[in-house]
Amino acid sequence: MSTAIESNLKEKRVFKPTKEFSKAARIQSLAQYREMWEESIERPDKFWGREASELTWQTKWSKVLDWKEPYAQWFVGGKLNVSENCLDRHLLTARKNKAAIIWEGEPGEKRVLTYQQLHREVCRFANVLKRNKIKKGDRVLIYMPMIPEAAVAMLACARIGATHSVVFGGFSADSIRDRITDSKAVMVITTDGGYRRGSIVPLKKNVDDALRDDPQSIKKVIVFRRAGNDVHIEEGRDVWWHREMDYVNAVCPAEPLDSEHPLFILYTSGSTGKPKGILHTTGGYLLQAYATSKYVFDLRDEDVYWCTADIGWVTGHSYVVYGPLACGATSLMYEGAPNWPENDRFWRIIEEYAVTVFYTAPTAIRAFIRWGDQWIKKHDLSSLRLLGSVGEPISPDAWMWYHNVIGGGRCPIVDTWWQTETGAIMITTLPGAIPAKPGSAGLPFFGVDAVIVDDDGKEVGPNVGGKVVIRKPWPSMLRSIYGDKPRYKKTYWSEVKGAYFAGDGAHRDKDGYFLIAGRIDDVLNVAGHRLGTSEIEGALGSHPAVAEAAVVGRPDELKGQGVVAFVVLKGGIAVEPHLREELRQHVGQVIGPIAKPDDIRFAEGLPKTRSGKIMRRLLKEIAGGKAITGDTTTLEDLSIIAKLSSNSD
Ligand code: 7RM
């Protein structure tokens, strides 16, 4: 992996936080970060105990950590309730009438729920759950669009100790069924439909289809009326949210829950097999979601914070709902697509609500770049003070664009590396303390003992590639794969002795910054040279004609693997014969001749999962000649192929 991310390693620009930003930030200097990080590693009990005392506990813990690899218990003996921490405790302060959630529907409706109003809705809906026989420990599947009721449903489950499993609204009936089967959920909470690019996604119908054949474990389906589309109501099983709410009052004390009580299961795909139900528990998860929201986004009462992730992904759990609400922040939620009705929807929203902190994904950033700066120029984004990125490596070019065009050159960018499994941010650049380097995720968060190791599990030196591992337990770590402890141990704690194996490859530079190359299985070995697909993508992306590129390997008799690049050109640029050779030369220049793609295929769009990750396995099949071959000068519409492929995540 020695050359994997050289283009990012060659990036020399460093963006120090401004004096004004640092002065107002919680962590104000690199020295302060280092001092706190050392304490967090050497004396985790002291560090995390202090942080945890900022939360509300019904019973204090007796021990911060009990660790018997690979099983951790955080805050042993402690009792708390996540919904109490996100809601009730703010009602005792001036935040009582502060906006907890600002929401905009795709068609344009606007709603604001204050902390008091959100608390009331959550208490009432928790009583609806009880009325429908949901008990502590039951699994409840949530399949909803991005509306405040999705957060209400999550928080109501948390309030009574039911374990929620949110399924992204873009998933199919089959995925819902698989997740119900695996989690043995007893209830589904859904809506009639949700809006996406002007049309209605029939969520309730998908639930009906999922429940059609088997008797299933599902006893009840609660349906919130969102889109007004016709739905089937199965007598005895399906009930309307609004009707149920009429029967209940708003008194529902928060259930005291053990710190290790299961808060949620979130399904995520592994490299093989069926999706894994990643299990997160109460105290440790909430603590790290809270602490990272506080330190990484440096959230203030004045902030209007917007994380664009869907609640169907872990980012939506930790950074739309639990983290910001535990901080008492204002969290903005938007239901729909960024290009509805036009390409400037996000910038309209930022302008209208004076958003101050904006957290999105590189894949979205690349779309914005492709759509053109004119959409941004129409809007006043001067309210922004901090930007974030998550989900995949961000190329230095996209970073610079984000910094200059969205951030007006004044906002720090926090790149945040973490996973469904880690529950919360693990590697980042604390905005007032750690100078940012475009394309680099930064340094470990407090309590995170992340290093890079080689195939023998030994830590490597600067600029040498290897596997990202974490050598100590952290509060928001997954506790298991639901129902499959052996798989948990095998997947995460067996690859590298004594450490959690993240599945990512990375380098660290001389300053210890992590440059994430991507999943190990995305690393190519071309004639003995290892190349990060993201590196070649970055190189292609730095060519003025390229909007987006995805690179995969394909078997090559001579070199082991050959490089195939799928390239989406910027709007208005035509596929010219010379362009293919020009791009090859360009990659050769940026990285080295070895990285020159053997094959460049121009495409209309790239196949992506609903969370925006490029579907590399599909591309590999195509590159290997399994799906389509032939005329590579035509524009392949890979997004259509993606839709046809069944298991899309
Ligand atoms: C939060 C989330 C996890 C995988 C992870 C990485 C990649 C995420 C970054 C990143 C480079 C980042 N959870 N990844 N963040 N790569 N820089 N800042 O995305 O479970 O869906 O995905 O995403 O490969 O292993 S996830």
Side-chain angles (χ1 to χ4, degrees):
M1 247 170 280
S2 60
T3 59
I5 39 178
E6 249 166 34
S7 64
N8 284 33
L9 284 170
K10 278 187 203 137
E11 172 62 50
K12 287 283 182 293
R13 285 167 290 201
V14 178
F15 292 81
K16 284 199 185 143
T18 61
K19 278 211 181 68
E20 303 92 271
F21 196 100
S22 290
K23 245 187 11 214
R26 288 192 175 80
I27 311 296
Q28 305 187 340
S29 68
L30 201 51
Q32 189 190 353
Y33 156 74
R34 289 202 192 285
E35 194 181 309
M36 284 175 71
W37 184 80
E38 263 147 41
E39 184 201 29
S40 74
I41 294 296
E42 277 154 27
R43 305 187 62 187
D45 292 17
K46 186 167 177 224
F47 180 86
W48 286 119
R50 190 173 62 232
E51 290 294 325
S53 64
E54 292 181 12
L55 298 177
T56 298
W57 295 79
Q58 291 152 325
T59 307
K60 210 190 155 186
W61 62 91
S62 56
K63 193 177 175 193
V64 170
L65 171 65
D66 182 83
W67 176 233
K68 293 186 190 70
E69 190 192 314
Y71 303 109
Q73 291 188 54
W74 283 88
F75 305 101
V76 179
K79 285 194 193 300
L80 76 165
N81 185 287
V82 166
S83 110
E84 178 178 19
N85 274 281
C86 290
L87 301 169
D88 304 55
R89 68 194 187 121
H90 305 312
L91 305 188
L92 310 169
T93 72
R95 289 175 182 150
K96 180 174 179 174
N97 291 312
K98 173 183 173 173
I101 294 177
I102 295 177
W103 175 78
E104 202 173 280
E106 194 186 73
E109 314 95 312
K110 301 169 201 300
R111 285 169 65 192
V112 176
L113 279 100
T114 64
Y115 272 95
Q116 190 186 357
Q117 289 168 329
L118 182 61
H119 174 263
R120 187 180 156 80
E121 291 305 292
V122 168
C123 287
R124 290 175 68 208
F125 192 67
N127 283 334
V128 167
L129 293 177
K130 287 186 189 165
R131 220 180 96 76
N132 285 278
K133 310 243 164 26
I134 298 299
K135 305 180 306 296
K136 177 173 155 179
D138 285 346
R139 272 82 56 222
V140 172
L141 191 134
I142 298 174
Y143 182 67
M144 296 176 93
M146 283 292 281
I147 56 175
E149 282 68 24
V152 169
M154 291 164 76
L155 289 159
C157 286
R159 195 162 189 90
I160 65 171
T163 301
H164 62 68
S165 180
V166 182
V167 175
F168 175 57
F171 277 132
S172 64
D174 284 356
S175 312
I176 300 170
R177 188 187 303 120
D178 289 349
R179 285 154 174 77
I180 289 170
T181 308
D182 189 78
S183 66
K184 299 180 198 70
V186 296
M187 173 184 274
V188 177
I189 305 169
T190 189
T191 69
D192 48 2
Y195 289 94
R196 190 75 188 177
R197 261 184 218 106
S199 44
I200 294 172
V201 184
L203 297 175
K204 174 60 166 64
K205 183 178 179 303
N206 292 346
V207 171
D208 291 341
D209 290 347
L211 298 180
R212 177 150 307 136
D213 306 325
D214 306 354
Q216 294 287 351
S217 46
I218 298 295
K219 302 282 184 293
K220 278 276 152 82
V221 177
I222 300 185
V223 188
F224 181 80
R225 188 177 277 152
R226 159 65 188 131
N229 51 315
D230 279 343
V231 293
H232 166 74
I233 292 292
E234 181 89 20
E235 283 307 321
R237 185 192 72 187
D238 302 350
V239 293
W240 285 105
W241 174 302
H242 60 272
R243 295 248 174 89
E244 291 296 301
M245 289 288 251
D246 279 346
Y247 293 110
V248 296
N249 64 27
V251 181
C252 180
E255 180 81 18
L257 297 170
D258 190 274
S259 179
E260 285 299 330
H261 183 76
L263 175 65
F264 68 85
I265 301 164
L266 186 59
Y267 286 84
T268 191
S269 43
S271 44
T272 52
K274 59 175 178 131
K276 302 173 282 195
I278 303 301
L279 178 70
H280 283 287
T281 59
T282 299
Y285 170 79
L286 181 69
L287 176 61
Q288 198 169 331
Y290 165 77
T292 48
S293 298
K294 180 179 75 165
Y295 288 123
V296 179
F297 300 114
D298 203 42
L299 290 181
R300 304 288 163 177
D301 271 325
E302 301 76 29
D303 277 318
V304 178
Y305 160 88
W306 184 17
C307 167
T308 65
D310 191 282
I311 46 124
W313 310 115
V314 73
T315 308
H317 285 58
S318 303
Y319 299 109
V320 175
V321 180
Y322 293 123
L325 296 183
C327 287
T330 296
S331 183
L332 193 145
M333 256 174 125
Y334 165 60
E335 179 186 35
N339 54 353
W340 187 265
E342 289 195 296
N343 290 342
D344 63 346
R345 186 63 182 270
F346 277 17
W347 324 124
R348 270 180 198 284
I349 291 174
I350 290 178
E351 180 171 13
E352 172 158 355
Y353 299 96
V355 170
T356 58
V357 180
F358 180 63
Y359 187 32
T360 195
T363 185
I365 295 168
R366 292 194 297 267
F368 305 147
I369 295 172
R370 178 159 199 227
W371 295 338
D373 295 5
Q374 71 275 14
W375 296 105
I376 296 133
K377 300 256 153 69
K378 290 207 277 194
H379 297 281
D380 176 7
L381 305 187
S382 62
S383 57
L384 289 171
R385 67 175 191 89
L386 176 62
L387 303 174
S389 172
V390 61
E392 52 178 320
I394 182 167
S395 72
D397 290 320
W399 196 102
M400 287 307 304
W401 182 90
Y402 196 28
H403 179 74
N404 288 325
V405 182
I406 304 301
R410 84 191 164 269
C411 305
I413 297 177
V414 286
D415 191 356
T416 61
W417 178 89
W418 59 295
Q419 309 176 295
T420 304
E421 292 89 338
T422 70
I425 293 168
M426 300 293 277
I427 296 174
T428 188
T429 42
L430 291 176
I434 304 178
K437 303 183 190 186
S440 158
L443 296 170
F445 186 70
F446 303 129
V448 175
D449 185 18
V451 292
I452 313 282
V453 298
D454 62 19
D455 284 339
D456 300 324
K458 276 215 289 294
E459 188 172 353
V460 299
N463 297 339
V464 179
K467 301 169 180 167
V468 180
V469 300
I470 296 148
R471 297 186 297 196
K472 284 188 163 58
W474 63 99
S476 63
M477 64 187 270
L478 77 165
R479 298 304 195 263
S480 189
I481 293 172
Y482 186 74
D484 200 345
K485 277 192 176 181
R487 190 174 177 203
Y488 162 70
K489 192 171 176 182
K490 183 166 177 293
T491 308
Y492 301 109
W493 295 91
S494 304
E495 176 94 7
V496 175
K497 196 174 176 300
Y500 166 85
F501 169 62
D504 276 15
H507 289 59
R508 300 184 79 171
D509 70 8
K510 62 177 180 10
D511 301 319
Y513 281 53
F514 284 76
L515 290 105
I516 309 288
R519 306 295 299 192
I520 300 280
D521 37 16
D522 296 336
V523 177
L524 308 180
N525 190 332
V526 180
H529 298 265
R530 283 168 178 240
L531 295 167
T533 51
S534 61
E535 174 195 12
I536 307 173
E537 288 161 9
L540 287 163
S542 69
H543 187 282
V546 174
E548 191 171 22
V551 169
V552 295
R554 74 162 176 219
D556 183 289
E557 269 181 25
L558 280 177
K559 301 188 281 185
Q561 271 187 310
V563 179
V564 180
F566 295 86
V567 171
V568 181
L569 296 175
K570 284 196 182 137
I573 296 181
V575 179
E576 305 269 4
H578 70 89
L579 204 51
R580 185 170 286 118
E581 191 47 32
E582 192 178 311
L583 290 176
R584 293 187 73 245
Q585 294 303 335
H586 180 74
V587 173
Q589 262 165 29
V590 176
I591 306 170
I594 187 66
K596 280 188 193 171
D598 299 281
D599 191 353
I600 292 182
R601 300 186 180 195
F602 295 103
E604 294 277 10
L606 297 175
K608 289 187 186 154
T609 65
R610 295 310 189 110
S611 63
K613 289 194 170 53
I614 293 167
M615 298 166 72
R616 290 174 188 289
R617 229 179 309 155
L618 181 65
L619 286 180
K620 273 183 209 163
E621 281 172 23
I622 296 168
K626 278 185 204 136
I628 47 168
T629 48
D631 183 6
T632 51
T633 59
T634 58
L635 292 185
E636 294 169 344
D637 191 354
L638 298 170
S639 55
I640 287 175
I641 297 165
K643 274 180 209 131
L644 295 173
S645 106
S646 49
N647 193 357
S648 71
D649 209 15

